[in-house]
């Protein structure tokens, strides 16, 4: 079984962190992972919860940072294995599905990025929808069709294109993968070993705004089509919210 790094960024994450770490503990007997928790100087009891999981947390750092991508960049300095997976403090692993996923990843010897499907869940764990599809440049330059939660990125890729842009607040993972363009080497696991609670920073209009700015900056889609994509995605979001709230 492969060895890999898990980087978890936290800030006042007491409400969800225990569920996240409990899921990591559930897989720790079957896989070898270097678990790194980077905290942004939380003022709630996030660190007290982390202390309960000292058996699985290899590194815990708590200090002020400039956001999630600054925290992830700090986490990269503690990575010791070829692959790194980033988990939000409100994400959690489905152990049985995840072990099959890791077996799949072990066979991806040339990939930069391996993604999977993700289950969006509410605070009670009820599945709202399952999302995520294989990376395809024609789609990816429009929107992030291959999701980052639960994905594995090769440390060699960071060596090639650099770390995350810490000035971004929501879609730095998207910008990081856009840098490679058509040269990105990917694989996709068509099942959902990760659950992600809706309502986080990556679920809303703000992410669409920042995605637009990234696409305009990199020029991967063209100015006009970037605005067209933005309008379509805003409309889809508004419709989805309306349908969800009207049930």
């Amino acid at each position: 079984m492969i060895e890999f790094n898990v980087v978890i960024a936290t800030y006042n994450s007491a409400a969800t962190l225990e569920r996240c770490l409990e899921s990591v503990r559930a897989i720790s007997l079957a896989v070898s992972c270097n678990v790194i928790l980077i905290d942004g100087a939380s003022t709630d009891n996030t660190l007290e919860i982390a202390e309960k999981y000292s058996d699985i947390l290899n590194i815990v750092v708590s200090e002020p940072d400039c956001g999630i991508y600054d925290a992830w960049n700090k986490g990269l300095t503690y990575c010791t294995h070829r692959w790194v997976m980033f988990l939000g403090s409100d994400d959690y692993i489905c152990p049985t599905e995840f072990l099959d996923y890791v077996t799949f990843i072990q066979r991806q010897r040339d990939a930069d990025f391996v993604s999977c499907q993700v289950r969006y869940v509410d605070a009670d764990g009820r599945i709202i929808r399952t999302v995520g599809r294989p990376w395809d440049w024609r789609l990816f330059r429009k929107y992030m069709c291959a999701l980052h939660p639960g994905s594995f990125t090769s440390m060699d890729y960071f060596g090639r294109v650099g770390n995350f842009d810490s000035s971004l607040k929501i879609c730095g993972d998207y910008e990081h993968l856009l840098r490679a363009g058509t040269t990105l080497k990917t694989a996709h696991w068509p099942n959902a070993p990760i659950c992600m609670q809706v309502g986080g920073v990556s679920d809303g209009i703000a992410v669409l705004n920042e995605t637009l700015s990234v696409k305009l900056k990199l020029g991967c889609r063209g100015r006009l089509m970037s605005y067209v994509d933005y309008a379509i995605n805003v409309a889809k979001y508004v419709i989805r919210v309306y349908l969800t709230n009207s049930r």
Side-chain angles (χ1 to χ4, degrees):
M1 191 68 73
I2 64 171
E3 298 178 321
F4 58 93
N5 308 284
V6 180
V7 175
I8 304 169
T10 60
Y11 179 70
N12 289 344
S13 302
T16 59
L17 180 59
E18 190 148 14
R19 182 175 62 181
C20 174
L21 293 179
E22 196 62 46
S23 75
V24 175
R25 178 181 276 167
I27 66 163
S28 63
L29 296 178
V31 298
S32 177
C33 49
N34 174 37
V35 187
I36 302 156
L37 188 146
I38 307 295
D39 180 69
S42 291
T43 56
D44 64 0
N45 63 331
T46 292
L47 293 178
E48 294 175 20
I49 293 171
E51 287 177 6
K52 296 165 56 177
Y53 293 87
S54 59
D55 57 316
I56 61 167
L57 290 173
N58 300 94
I59 300 290
V60 176
V61 175
S62 182
E63 60 188 19
D65 58 43
C66 299
I68 188 170
Y69 300 110
D70 186 26
W72 284 5
N73 285 338
K74 290 179 183 180
L76 289 171
T77 65
Y78 297 99
C79 289
T80 56
H81 304 306
R82 178 193 171 194
W83 294 103
V84 56
M85 177 178 72
F86 298 92
L87 280 181
S89 59
D90 53 357
D91 302 337
Y92 59 95
I93 296 167
C94 306
T96 302
E97 294 92 333
F98 187 81
L99 295 179
D100 290 338
Y101 178 43
V102 170
T103 299
F104 171 77
I105 293 166
Q106 191 170 14
R107 300 196 297 267
Q108 312 309 313
R109 303 191 181 278
D110 298 322
D112 299 316
F113 177 76
V114 183
S115 64
C116 61
Q117 292 186 322
V118 176
R119 297 171 187 165
Y120 279 3
V121 300
D122 63 18
D124 297 319
R126 290 187 293 263
I127 298 173
I128 297 173
R129 63 188 186 277
T130 299
V131 296
R133 57 189 302 170
W135 181 90
D136 180 298
W137 175 244
R138 293 170 299 175
L139 290 178
F140 196 77
R141 62 182 184 159
K142 297 179 184 179
Y143 66 96
M144 193 165 183
C145 56
L147 300 185
H148 210 266
S151 65
F152 279 61
T153 306
S154 167
M155 291 299 294
D156 290 340
Y157 180 72
F158 286 97
R160 195 162 79 243
V161 306
N163 288 358
F164 296 104
D165 182 347
S166 59
S167 69
L168 297 172
K169 302 303 178 186
I170 308 173
C171 64
D173 46 348
Y174 182 49
E175 187 273 342
H176 189 252
L177 294 172
L178 280 176
R179 293 181 205 170
T182 58
T183 68
L184 188 70
K185 299 176 182 178
T186 71
H188 180 73
W189 177 247
N191 292 297
I194 301 294
C195 291
M196 178 181 179
Q197 185 170 314
V198 296
V201 294
S202 61
D203 185 35
I205 292 295
V207 68
L208 301 179
N209 294 338
E210 191 167 276
T211 297
L212 173 63
S213 68
V214 164
K215 288 162 70 173
L216 292 173
K217 174 185 174 182
L218 295 180
C220 59
R221 180 71 172 141
R223 190 173 186 84
L224 174 60
M225 292 310 301
S226 293
Y227 278 107
V228 170
D229 293 343
Y230 174 78
I232 291 171
N233 289 326
V234 168
K236 286 181 178 178
Y237 174 78
V238 170
I239 292 169
R240 188 174 71 244
V241 170
Y242 172 77
L243 291 175
T244 300
N245 292 339
S246 64
R247 289 174 182 170

